[in-house]
Amino acid sequence: MATTELHAPRVAGKSRPQRNDKPVTPGRIALYATLTVVSLLMVVPFVWMVLTSLKTPVEIASQDAGLLPEHWEFGNYVDALKAAPFATYARNSFIIATSHTVINVVVASMAGYALARIKFRGSEVIFYLFIAALMIPTYTKVLPEFLIVRFMPLAGGNDIFGQGGSGWLDSWWALIIPGAVTPFAVFLFRQFYLDLPVELEEAARLDGLGEFRIYARIMTPQVKPALTTVALLTFESSWNNFLWPLLVTRTDSLRVIQVGLSVFKTENGPQWHFLMAGTTLATLPMVILFLIGQRYFVQGFATAGLK
């Protein structure tokens, strides 16, 4: 008796999907192993910080203490918040970091757009000056900036020559204005604006848009990775700033959260359980922001040096 073989009908124009998996090579295995080890090394300090914040002072001082707490002291966080006005410190840090982020994104994006898309005499020289500014170490600028703030004319009791008062010291002006715009942000925006096709602005000009509307409505929405990267870096740098707020403020009403953590460093040594609890709370906002914007952040750094 003859048998009949049944074949599934083939659909025209469709083929079996092919897998695009890259072959596993010794080099790829070594790369993944290296990245895994580096990732663990990066995570270990954060894990130690969180676990230490949940230990008792006796357990932290003990030489036989393990990595995990024997008694989980979640009350360390409550006690740390009561030890200093951390709500005020956190509010001040948030105001300063947000102000720096907004100013840097707006002003640096305008400067980057002008250097990339507007042809004028001296644009290359100005761009090279921004590059040169990137090479100046941060701490070499602290003293000149402090003197400018201290002798600011007609501020804080100073006369027109900057004498007789305290200038901007112990004020919001000193905390927000210096360092609000960074050369790196201008450089990054310029690189992104250079990558945009010239047809975009030509079409906008044919529609009757002015230069500012082209910048704001046509070009800037195309550089979201740069916006996110600059915003994250600016907020992180401002949030974690310790030296400058310490130099220019005297009262608790203007102290920031990083300066507030210093209250746990007493004459008898650091109060590690409170210090680690406060540091964990100070680190948490930045971790959340980077998790939210990590895709654009990585893309921004990957594209910055193409031109």
Side-chain angles (χ1 to χ4, degrees):
M1 184 176 179
T3 58
T4 303
E5 294 184 0
L6 300 177
H7 297 277
R10 293 186 177 180
V11 181
K14 290 188 177 181
S15 59
R16 185 177 181 181
Q18 298 180 354
R19 299 182 63 183
N20 295 323
D21 294 342
K22 296 182 179 180
V24 179
T25 61
R28 185 168 293 277
I29 294 175
L31 176 62
Y32 287 152
T34 302
L35 292 176
T36 301
V37 172
V38 172
S39 300
L40 290 176
L41 291 176
M42 296 290 290
V43 170
V44 165
F46 293 96
V47 174
W48 179 86
M49 175 182 69
V50 175
L51 294 178
T52 303
S53 69
L54 298 172
K55 293 181 180 180
T56 62
V58 175
E59 187 176 355
I60 294 174
S62 176
Q63 296 181 351
D64 300 327
L67 180 63
L68 295 177
E70 296 181 2
H71 304 284
W72 297 78
E73 294 290 339
F74 292 97
N76 288 342
Y77 287 87
V78 178
D79 294 337
L81 292 175
K82 293 180 179 179
F86 273 96
T88 301
Y89 297 157
R91 181 206 64 189
N92 295 342
S93 292
F94 180 78
I95 292 174
I96 297 168
T98 302
S99 301
H100 280 173
T101 301
V102 172
I103 295 173
N104 202 19
V105 168
V106 173
V107 177
S109 63
M110 290 182 180
Y113 174 82
L115 292 173
R117 313 302 296 196
I118 302 176
K119 302 302 180 182
F120 59 93
R121 182 178 299 178
S123 60
E124 290 295 326
V125 176
I126 295 175
F127 174 68
Y128 290 136
L129 289 176
F130 276 106
I131 297 297
L134 289 173
M135 305 176 188
I136 301 175
T138 301
Y139 291 103
T140 62
K141 300 181 293 184
V142 171
L143 180 58
E145 288 180 349
F146 180 84
L147 294 177
I148 292 173
V149 169
R150 166 64 179 80
F151 297 106
M152 180 61 60
L154 304 178
N158 284 347
D159 56 24
I160 194 172
F161 300 105
Q163 303 295 322
S166 59
W168 277 353
L169 293 180
D170 205 35
S171 70
W172 287 106
W173 296 105
L175 292 169
I176 293 177
I177 299 302
V181 181
T182 61
F184 174 76
V186 176
F187 166 78
L188 188 67
F189 277 118
R190 177 185 180 272
Q191 301 306 100
F192 270 85
Y193 283 122
L194 281 175
D195 288 338
L196 297 181
V198 69
E199 290 79 10
L200 286 175
E201 55 184 312
E202 289 178 350
R205 287 194 175 93
L206 289 175
D207 290 338
L209 296 184
E211 199 66 53
F212 183 79
R213 295 178 68 186
I214 294 174
Y215 150 78
R217 298 180 56 184
I218 305 300
M219 308 299 276
T220 301
Q222 308 298 322
V223 294
K224 291 181 180 178
L227 295 172
T228 305
T229 302
V230 171
L232 284 174
L233 289 178
T234 305
F235 195 95
E236 182 271 338
S237 177
S238 181
W239 180 269
N240 291 327
N241 196 1
F242 171 79
L243 179 60
W244 183 252
L246 180 65
L247 291 175
V248 299
T249 59
R250 304 189 187 98
T251 58
D252 281 342
S253 61
L254 290 176
R255 294 292 193 187
V256 297
I257 194 167
Q258 301 302 332
V259 177
L261 293 175
S262 62
V263 301
F264 300 126
K265 298 179 181 179
T266 62
E267 295 180 356
N268 298 324
Q271 297 175 293
W272 288 110
H273 54 307
F274 290 158
L275 183 60
M276 292 299 103
T279 305
T280 300
L281 294 175
T283 305
L284 189 60
M286 290 312 311
V287 173
I288 295 174
L289 285 178
F290 272 102
L291 289 176
I292 294 174
Q294 61 179 334
R295 181 167 66 93
Y296 286 125
F297 181 75
V298 173
Q299 184 179 352
F301 266 106
T303 313
L306 293 181
K307 275 187 174 282

